[in-house]
Amino acid sequence: MSDPIKPVIVSGSAPSDRSVNAAAAGDRARPDDDLLRGLNPPQREAVTYRGPALLIVAGAGSGKTSVLTRRIASLLRSREAWPSQILAITFTNKAAGEMRERVGQLVGDVVRGMWISTFHSACVRILRREADQFGFTKNFTIYDSGDSRALVKRLVKEHEADAYGMTPASVQGRISKLKNELADAESFARQANMSDPAERLFAAIFADYQRALQRANAFDFDDLIAQTVYLFRAFPAVADTYRRRFRHILVDEYQDTNHAQYALIHELTRAPGSDAAPTEHGGLMIFDAPSDEPGALLTVVGDSDQSIYAFRGADIRNISEFERDFPGAKVVLLEQNYRSTQNILSAANAVISHNFDRKDKKLWTDVGAGDAIIGFTGYSQHDEAQFVADEIEALHRAGAPYSEMAVFYRTNSQSRALEEIFIRSAVPYKIMGGTKFYERAEIKDAMAYLIAVANPADELSVRRILNKPRRGIGDVTETAIARYAAEEGITFRDALANASALGVGPKIQQAIAQLDAVLAEASEIMLPSSGEIAPPTSVAEGLTLLLNKSGYADALRRSKDPQDEARVENLDELVAVTREFARNNPEGTLLDFLTEVALVSDADDLDDASGSVSLMTMHTAKGLEYDAVFVTGVEEDLIPHRISAGEPGGPQEERRLFYVAITRARKRLHLSLAMTRAQFGEVSVAMPSRFLQEIPHELIDWRQSPGDVNSRGGMQSRALNARRPGGGFGGGGSRYGDDLVPLPRRERPAGDVTKFANRIPAKIRDNGDLELAAGDRIRHDDFGEGRVDMVTGEGAKRVAHVRFDSAGAKKLLIKVAPITKL
DNA sequence: GATGTAGAGCTTTTT
DNA sequence: GCTCTACATC
């Protein structure tokens, strides 16, 4: 990993000014007692300390959100700050929403005046306001990673860069890294080794990419931050307005900030007017921007043990060198954990202590040891999933709500096996951030229609909808339009208005004219040319009009492809989202809607009230907590992930990731793995993760240890060919079965295990309207015969509660379970 | 220009 | 095992 350039800390921050102000502020600070109630001494200090810079080192579960929200409330109550002077930055929209709500509970309605948002949302707000200053307009589009990948892909192809082994993904990743370090195409070209043709090619692609964004009036995710920094540096007067405005800046998850974000914070905390000082005129000060105003007061919260985003440019040094960056900064350490039991914390401490090069920090609690950590080794990923499902059901029967349980995995692909078993076992679940709603093709199409209206310069979006639905506009016509636009010096979008000049057939001319008319009509609804303000419902109206009059909706409805039915439903859902948006944002414009969609990930809108078990990656889990946590796939090559092995600091980051995962658990922690795992269509043997060995064994109660599964000499390969039907495999079948009998505390009967490995059909079956009633006997492919105790639920969600003769009680979704009535 | 089929490549994590 | 792409065919 390349070393990001460490920024020069601006001396203009006038530390003396700051401390004067801090002392004054300290005298005034007398927060109400209720804000400090229930806090331990370090937490109190973190709320009440006043000074230019404060670092709160907050271990997992140490109540940092509580501290942060009370600190904000205390600033307001003591009249040290107006709401509008506060900028609080979090990493995810969900965290921002949560903080807004909790601050609101403390201070009431004035919370509306504060900026509590993610880095990206804050930057969008600034950029929309200032866009005209530097060659953009305020209706710019935000490209998500899919959009920018599409663009990169086209450029890689145009430049034939694949000949040098460049893939769209690698180019995209490299551009993103450079932007996170505030390098642009020019600065890259200056320092690159241009005698290397591959480097020259990359520089050209980078430059083209940036030009394409500019032409499309668009920013990618990384630009949102980097361009804001450039804006501040290029226009000190603009920067000063924000420096004057924000007097208190608070940053959560500081360990995950990258260089660009770090620079942004530094720009914002400089004293207003300080840019003017070091001009070539030396001492000539600009007096309408006096620098006696100090820079904003900075509070950062973080935990270097939870830094898990180095792979995308997060620089751990931002937090580890905070004291050097801000001389005189105060550091407060929060080590008491209010979330987990001591057993869980001991395991977490043991694991993380294997990372050298960290400040020693030990979480502790006074709630007691709690339950042992439960370990389980499955024969296959499905076996493991079945354990998780069974355990969840057992906990649920014992009174634990589903919403208080979560299952974590390292890679998204691991969710499939869990899902399959959960569906069959009728465990209600919800996947966080899996296949995202807004990444579905039909949703992207619909969004492209909206973007084509909002930002006609965005060629990518216009091209996307050109032939969706099919209008007979292919490559040839598309190129003709592009050529015409270039000749006339107009945009691709405007070229559509002149279909007859393109030299294409009459039928196609008509199709183009029709598309142009629909876009124009929708534009009139959502962005009236008369200048009046469109009502918030106009987005829903405009979207409906676009989908109907373009023929898009009709094409799907007419289609015979069964998937298209679901697509129509998804589009209805999108229209519902626009209505919901109108309700929540009475002043919301089309632009506001597009911004929200671009920046809000699916993980953000999770509501825990839904009564489902949450499934997510370990990364998504950060910042969340659950009573019961299942960490699955605790295997070598998965956690730590194989790819991380080659990267400097990789294995350590993986350890922190594992640490984050286990510290999410309040009461119960389950660690599970599988001996074999199918990936790529191939089954391979998995090894227990090294992190398991780092946990003292007395903390883990193994229901089935790796040794139990592995010690029957050479048996693992048997599990691989477990597909054989009922013992017809020489002596192996019965021997295998015999061996299984003495397994401790396993409900599953002998022989059953052999059937489990990878026997799950890829397609979900459909039993149609199979009628079951209490008393019926059924046969299940895996669990054998059993009797139905009762049936609950309705329609497709009817659930049979079955008592199996040998496998015990199970709940099965009747529609999809592999069962037959006897 | 649309549609169907074979083959390659893929899987780290996300605002 | 699945999805996207390229290519062939209509």
Side-chain angles (χ1 to χ4, degrees):
Chain A
M1 203 170 295
S2 61
D3 270 357
I5 317 107
K6 212 54 192 168
V8 180
I9 303 308
V10 182
S11 56
S13 321
S16 56
D17 290 347
R18 286 174 159 208
S19 36
V20 168
N21 181 71
D27 287 343
R28 280 200 311 267
R30 206 159 290 131
D32 299 357
D33 282 350
D34 67 299
L35 289 178
L36 301 178
R37 196 176 302 143
L39 298 186
N40 65 33
Q43 285 178 325
R44 280 170 191 240
E45 173 140 52
V47 171
T48 57
Y49 175 80
R50 296 296 185 265
L54 167 65
L55 164 63
I56 304 172
V57 176
S62 59
K64 68 162 191 197
T65 309
S66 207
V67 164
L68 216 44
T69 52
R70 291 182 200 214
R71 183 172 170 83
I72 293 172
S74 131
L75 287 169
L76 292 178
R77 288 212 194 157
S78 60
R79 301 285 162 92
E80 288 163 79
W82 296 107
S84 63
Q85 294 177 323
I86 289 178
L87 170 64
I89 293 179
T90 61
F91 230 67
T92 64
N93 294 290
K94 179 174 189 287
E98 219 170 271
M99 183 172 303
R100 178 170 290 280
E101 197 183 316
R102 287 179 64 173
V103 173
Q105 281 165 9
L106 293 174
V107 303
D109 246 13
V110 297
V111 71
R112 287 163 190 260
M114 291 181 223
W115 280 34
I116 302 181
S117 68
T118 62
F119 271 107
H120 293 83
S121 319
C123 287
V124 169
R125 237 170 130 173
I126 294 170
L127 288 172
R128 288 230 192 267
R129 256 185 226 187
E130 316 292 344
D132 339 326
Q133 308 259 16
F134 61 119
F136 289 83
T137 61
K138 59 164 53 58
N139 56 337
F140 62 78
T141 309
I142 301 163
Y143 277 14
D144 66 20
S145 33
D147 299 329
S148 59
R149 185 160 53 248
L151 181 53
V152 168
K153 205 167 176 179
R154 205 177 74 206
L155 294 173
V156 166
K157 207 168 176 179
E158 274 174 29
H159 288 262
E160 293 177 351
D162 48 342
Y164 291 90
M166 288 187 217
T167 63
S170 70
V171 171
Q172 190 189 16
R174 205 166 158 203
I175 290 176
S176 171
K177 264 214 164 92
L178 285 164
K179 286 185 174 183
N180 285 336
E181 288 163 25
L182 293 179
D184 59 13
E186 268 175 49
S187 68
F188 172 80
R190 270 199 303 276
Q191 57 80 50
N193 172 15
M194 294 304 257
S195 58
D196 179 347
E199 287 295 272
R200 220 163 42 226
L201 202 56
F202 173 77
I205 293 176
F206 191 1
D208 275 3
Y209 173 79
Q210 212 51 39
R211 263 194 294 275
L213 283 177
Q214 171 95 39
R215 238 195 354 254
N217 192 26
F219 295 98
D220 66 18
F221 275 140
D222 304 310
D223 276 346
L224 294 178
I225 315 284
Q227 300 274 12
T228 309
V229 175
Y230 296 151
L231 170 75
F232 284 168
R233 290 186 178 167
F235 301 92
V238 173
D240 279 350
T241 55
Y242 293 94
R243 290 175 188 146
R244 290 216 171 77
R245 171 176 178 143
F246 298 122
R247 308 309 303 151
H248 295 269
I249 297 177
L250 303 95
V251 186
D252 196 6
E253 309 281 15
Y254 193 66
Q255 76 282 355
D256 285 331
T257 50
N258 61 35
H259 176 67
Q261 291 163 334
Y262 172 94
L264 181 73
I265 295 299
H266 271 268
E267 287 300 329
L268 280 172
T269 50
R270 288 170 68 172
S274 57
D275 290 295
T279 55
E280 39 188 275
H281 298 292
L284 228 180
M285 294 290 289
I286 296 164
F287 283 99
D288 62 355
S291 65
D292 57 346
E293 244 179 302
L297 276 48
L298 177 64
T299 303
V300 305
V301 189
D303 175 7
S304 40
D305 287 337
Q306 292 185 64
S307 157
I308 54 174
Y309 285 110
F311 73 92
R312 68 169 199 221
D315 190 343
I316 204 166
R317 287 178 307 178
N318 290 346
I319 193 164
S320 56
E321 293 174 14
F322 185 80
E323 292 167 82
R324 212 195 60 191
D325 289 349
F326 295 87
K330 171 83 180 170
V331 180
V332 175
L333 230 75
L334 306 180
E335 287 182 300
Q336 183 172 358
N337 176 293
Y338 295 93
R339 179 187 297 153
S340 313
T341 65
Q342 188 60 50
N343 276 343
I344 293 168
L345 293 182
S346 298
N349 284 331
V351 168
I352 201 67
S353 69
H354 282 76
N355 270 0
F356 55 91
D357 193 25
R358 70 181 272 277
K359 280 186 198 160
D360 195 41
K361 172 162 99 273
K362 280 230 180 332
L363 297 176
W364 61 278
T365 179
D366 54 15
V367 303
D371 293 336
I373 296 164
I374 292 169
F376 180 83
T377 312
Y379 288 87
S380 68
Q381 55 206 330
H382 296 109
D383 195 22
E384 178 191 21
Q386 188 65 54
F387 162 77
V388 174
D390 289 348
E391 204 68 11
I392 286 172
E393 278 307 303
L395 287 171
H396 186 245
R397 276 195 299 274
Y402 287 123
S403 57
E404 275 309 324
M405 300 187 240
V407 185
F408 304 154
Y409 35 79
R410 177 65 234 267
T411 65
N412 275 309
S413 61
Q414 288 167 252
S415 70
R416 193 183 296 148
L418 289 158
E419 269 188 278
E420 284 164 355
I421 301 290
F422 280 22
I423 288 173
R424 288 162 153 229
S425 306
V427 174
Y429 69 91
K430 192 170 166 186
I431 295 205
M432 309 301 183
T435 320
K436 292 178 184 150
F437 182 70
Y438 291 104
E439 281 172 16
R440 292 168 190 274
E442 66 275 17
I443 301 300
K444 292 231 77 162
D445 290 344
M447 295 300 296
Y449 270 100
L450 288 178
I451 292 169
V453 170
N455 178 17
D458 188 349
E459 204 172 303
L460 204 72
S461 295
V462 181
R463 280 180 192 257
R464 182 177 177 108
I465 58 173
L466 208 51
N467 200 30
K468 286 184 179 115
R470 300 231 150 87
R471 301 184 170 90
I473 303 176
D475 272 355
V476 179
T477 312
E478 193 175 327
T479 313
I481 299 170
R483 193 179 335 109
Y484 178 75
E487 279 165 10
E488 299 290 312
I490 57 175
T491 64
F492 192 90
R493 163 70 185 90
D494 287 336
L496 298 183
N498 217 346
S500 54
L502 296 172
V504 295
K507 220 170 170 175
I508 294 176
Q509 277 185 34
Q510 223 254 311
I512 295 172
Q514 219 266 332
L515 173 63
D516 176 59
V518 174
L519 289 175
E521 192 180 346
S523 175
E524 199 49 44
I525 293 180
M526 296 188 276
L527 311 162
S529 54
S530 57
E532 54 188 303
I533 294 162
T537 51
S538 65
V539 180
E541 276 171 51
L543 178 60
T544 311
L545 177 128
L546 285 168
L547 292 175
N548 287 333
K549 291 212 174 169
S550 68
Y552 193 94
D554 275 343
L556 283 183
R557 276 194 281 265
R558 272 199 310 272
S559 157
K560 283 180 250 48
D561 186 340
Q563 287 201 327
D564 285 342
E565 221 173 291
R567 296 203 173 98
V568 172
E569 282 172 27
N570 285 335
L571 290 174
D572 288 343
E573 172 73 25
L574 183 65
V575 173
V577 169
T578 59
R579 294 230 169 81
E580 169 89 22
F581 176 81
R583 263 197 302 282
N584 296 340
N585 306 274
E587 322 231 302
T589 62
L590 170 61
L591 222 48
D592 294 331
F593 177 70
L594 293 174
T595 303
E596 178 163 307
V597 170
L599 295 180
V600 169
S601 71
D602 286 4
D604 290 324
D605 58 25
L606 55 118
D607 45 347
D608 298 321
S610 58
S612 309
V613 177
S614 302
L615 272 62
M616 67 190 88
T617 66
M618 298 185 192
H619 283 87
T620 309
K622 194 168 78 156
L624 305 176
E625 55 179 84
Y626 296 89
D627 281 346
V629 162
F630 294 81
V631 182
T632 64
V634 189
E635 299 151 27
E636 281 296 295
D637 290 349
L638 221 42
I639 177 83
H641 197 276
R642 180 200 310 227
I643 290 176
S644 74
E647 289 168 15
Q652 301 214 59
E653 173 147 320
E654 296 284 309
R655 189 176 276 109
R656 290 193 293 269
L657 182 57
F658 187 63
Y659 172 81
V660 165
I662 59 185
T663 50
R664 303 303 97 197
R666 291 197 198 102
K667 298 176 189 154
R668 289 199 165 80
L669 176 62
H670 305 73
L671 303 176
S672 62
L673 62 153
M675 289 312 299
T676 64
R677 189 166 291 274
Q679 49 187 355
F680 240 180
E682 300 264 291
V683 181
S684 56
V685 176
M687 297 294 291
S689 166
R690 67 191 75 167
F691 301 153
L692 277 176
Q693 263 113 64
E694 295 171 2
I695 300 174
H697 0 297
E698 67 271 15
L699 293 178
I700 306 183
D701 172 14
W702 284 99
R703 296 287 175 81
Q704 186 162 287
S705 75
D708 291 335
V709 177
N710 221 357
S711 60
R712 283 175 292 286
M715 273 307 151
Q716 30 177 290
S717 59
R718 291 271 161 70
L720 289 181
N721 348 324
R723 197 171 267 277
R724 66 191 176 283
F729 215 75
S734 58
R735 236 191 80 201
Y736 194 38
D738 292 344
D739 277 353
L740 275 169
V741 175
L743 284 183
R745 274 183 273 178
R746 276 294 269 166
E747 295 179 355
R748 187 173 300 148
D752 227 24
V753 159
T754 56
K755 290 201 211 151
F756 238 92
N758 307 310
R759 270 201 68 256
I760 308 301
K763 287 185 303 244
I764 292 172
R765 53 183 275 156
D766 189 344
N767 291 326
D769 299 323
L770 177 66
E771 284 296 333
L772 286 180
D776 286 347
R777 283 199 63 83
I778 59 153
R779 187 199 311 281
H780 186 283
D781 283 3
D782 300 317
F783 302 136
E785 289 186 20
R787 184 177 161 279
V788 178
D789 276 347
M790 61 171 177
V791 176
T792 56
E794 280 177 24
K797 292 188 176 157
R798 279 181 308 137
V799 170
H801 300 243
V802 184
R803 190 169 303 279
F804 287 100
D805 300 344
S806 48
K810 303 274 179 202
K811 288 197 309 185
L812 304 166
L813 209 53
I814 294 176
K815 192 171 166 62
V816 298
I819 51 176
T820 43
K821 197 166 160 183
L822 295 176

